Amino acid sequence: MNIGVFFGSRSPEHDVSIITGELVISELKKLGHTVTPVYIDKQGHWHVGSELGLLEIFKEGKFVGDKFRKINLDLQASSGKLVLRGK
C-alpha cells in the first residue's frame, strides 16, 4: 500500500507535527508500506521527497526547501482520490 503522510504546517505545533510524522513514517515502513512524505513548511508550501522521511533533515535548520519538489493539491482531479501536481 502507498500511504502519504502529511506533516508540518503553519500551526504553532509545527515542530511536534514533524516529530509525529517522522514516527508514523518509520512505523509504516517497518510494516512494509511505501510511504510518500509530504512536508508543509511554515509558509504553507508543500514539499515532497523520500528524504523528508528522515528526521535528520529537520535538525538544526538543515531543511532547504529548494532541494525538494514543491507540489499543490489538484482539487479538480482529486474526485475520489488525492492528486498532487508539481509546481
Side-chain angles (χ1 to χ4, degrees), residues 6 26 28 43 50:
F6 293 74
S26 175
L28 287 169
Q43 290 74 41
S50 60

Side-chain angles (χ1 to χ4, degrees), residues 52-71:
L52 292 170
L54 304 170
L55 187 57
E56 186 65 30
I57 294 290
F58 299 98
K59 289 183 178 177
E60 299 175 21
K62 292 183 180 180
F63 175 77
V64 178
D66 293 340
K67 182 178 176 183
F68 300 99
R69 191 175 68 151
K70 287 186 179 181
I71 58 171

